[in-house]
């Protein structure tokens, strides 16, 4: 579904991504793990057209999207849940979700999808008229995911969905990611909680200072000595 080939990104004099190659097959969960500053968020932002690559190609469903605008990419079915949630604080839950569907015209389908989001996140249904800025971090994360689902995505990209959340809420978020995947959505996940990410991922890539240093099936990376030492705080 998504193919990144020899992607390079520069921020001024900084070489942020150094010729990375990533494949995200349809109906799979793929994760990128790595330390802060490794280039994970830059990868997602470049896929979405928020950052321009200096070299390389990004193909989505056999279409070259390397230089496409973000709106076009969203219209094609690829959407990003950004790090830090970025909900519209002064708007209600329902208004945030409605904004998620701004590119759609199918009103009856939008209503159905709103109900599906509320079914997936009962807490949002209870708080539909509450202003997003007054909600807890976990609730805002659920809202950010729900808002992305309102675009009816084929590819859902998530940047640090568990960041700053309590362990119990993190567990809920990962259960929800698995449920979204079961509904036929392909997922590209960036996550500091490498163990939780690799446990649900079909395939994973390890990024270090802008380069992919390791890749393999989720289970394989979970049991890899180097990964355990560097990212899981474990040694065999």
């Amino acid at each position: 579904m998504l193919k990144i080939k020899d992607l390079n990104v520069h921020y001024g004099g900084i070489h942020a991504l150094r010729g990375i190659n990533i494949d995200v097959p349809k109906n799979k969960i793929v994760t990128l793990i790595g330390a802060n500053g490794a280039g994970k968020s830059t990868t997602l932002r470049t896929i979405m057209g928020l950052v321009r690559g200096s070299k390389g190609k990004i193909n989505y469903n056999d279409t070259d999207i390397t230089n496409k605008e973000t709106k076009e990419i969203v219209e094609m079915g690829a959407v990003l849940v950004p790090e830090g949630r970025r909900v519209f604080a002064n708007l209600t839950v329902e208004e945030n979700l409605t904004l998620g569907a701004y590119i759609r015209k199918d009103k009856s389908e939008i209503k159905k999808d709103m109900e599906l989001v509320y079914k997936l996140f009962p807490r949002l249904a209870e708080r539909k008229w509450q202003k997003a800025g007054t909600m807890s971090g976990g609730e805002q994360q659920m809202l950010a995911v729900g808002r992305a689902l309102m675009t009816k995505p084929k590819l859902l990209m998530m940047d640090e969905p568990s960041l700053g959340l309590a362990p119990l809420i993190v567990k809920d978020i990962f259960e929800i990611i698995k449920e979204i995947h079961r509904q036929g959505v392909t997922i590209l996940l960036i996550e500091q909680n490498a163990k939780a990410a690799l446990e649900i991922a079909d395939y994973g890539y390890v990024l270090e200072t802008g380069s992919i240093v390791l890749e393999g099936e989720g289970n394989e990376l979970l049991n890899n000595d180097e990964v355990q030492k560097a990212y899981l705080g474990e040694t065999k």
Side-chain angles (χ1 to χ4, degrees):
M1 180 176 264
L2 182 74
K3 200 172 188 66
I4 297 171
K5 194 167 173 54
D6 193 29
L7 183 63
N8 286 262
V9 174
H10 289 80
Y11 288 124
I14 298 164
H15 199 169
L17 291 180
R18 301 165 179 267
I20 66 168
N21 297 291
I22 291 172
D23 283 343
V24 181
K26 193 176 178 184
N27 296 331
K28 299 291 184 190
I29 298 178
V30 174
T31 187
L32 304 183
I33 64 168
N36 281 336
K40 305 186 303 294
S41 294
T42 299
T43 303
L44 294 194
R45 290 171 63 77
T46 309
I47 293 165
M48 287 305 300
L50 297 164
V51 170
R52 290 289 174 217
S54 43
K55 188 187 170 195
K57 279 254 165 79
I58 304 169
N59 269 290
Y60 169 70
N61 278 338
D62 297 324
T63 302
D64 185 351
I65 61 166
T66 314
N67 295 306
K68 285 198 181 294
E69 294 300 319
T70 302
K71 184 173 180 285
E72 289 178 87
I73 295 165
V74 173
E75 285 168 347
M76 291 170 73
V79 68
L80 170 64
V81 180
E83 184 184 348
R85 305 183 265 280
R86 312 267 180 103
V87 295
F88 297 101
N90 292 324
L91 300 183
T92 65
V93 165
E94 186 123 319
E95 286 166 339
N96 268 272
L97 294 176
T98 303
L99 274 173
Y102 83 102
I103 58 166
R104 297 172 58 186
K105 304 283 184 282
D106 47 342
K107 284 191 176 174
S108 61
E109 286 298 309
I110 289 170
K111 199 176 173 192
K112 273 188 208 167
D113 286 338
M114 185 89 77
E115 290 310 312
L116 280 173
V117 168
Y118 285 142
K119 200 173 168 186
L120 196 57
F121 301 104
R123 212 170 304 186
L124 296 184
E126 291 162 15
R127 290 163 168 70
K128 61 170 79 170
W129 306 119
Q130 188 172 330
K131 285 200 173 176
T134 66
M135 296 165 80
S136 72
E139 289 161 352
Q140 287 186 15
Q141 186 62 64
M142 290 172 189
L143 180 56
V145 175
R147 183 181 59 191
L149 291 176
M150 289 302 296
T151 67
K152 225 175 174 59
K154 298 182 186 79
L155 172 65
L156 180 65
M157 291 176 277
M158 307 177 88
D159 192 350
E160 304 285 10
S162 80
L163 193 67
L165 302 182
L168 268 176
I169 304 292
V170 171
K171 201 175 167 212
D172 289 349
I173 293 289
F174 275 90
E175 284 305 317
I176 286 156
I177 293 170
K178 287 195 280 187
E179 179 54 38
I180 292 166
H181 176 243
R182 278 194 288 271
Q183 291 174 13
V185 180
T186 305
I187 292 171
L188 177 56
L189 173 67
I190 282 180
E191 184 50 65
Q192 285 269 247
N193 188 336
K195 187 172 187 292
L198 290 171
E199 278 173 350
I200 66 165
D202 296 291
Y203 203 82
Y205 294 86
V206 180
L207 267 176
E208 272 180 24
T209 56
S211 300
I212 289 166
V213 293
L214 209 56
E215 63 177 274
E217 290 181 3
N219 279 338
E220 191 188 322
L221 291 179
L222 201 53
N223 294 305
N224 179 289
D225 287 357
E226 290 172 53
V227 173
Q228 288 192 350
K229 200 174 164 185
Y231 304 106
L232 309 180
E234 299 169 10
T235 48
K236 279 191 174 178

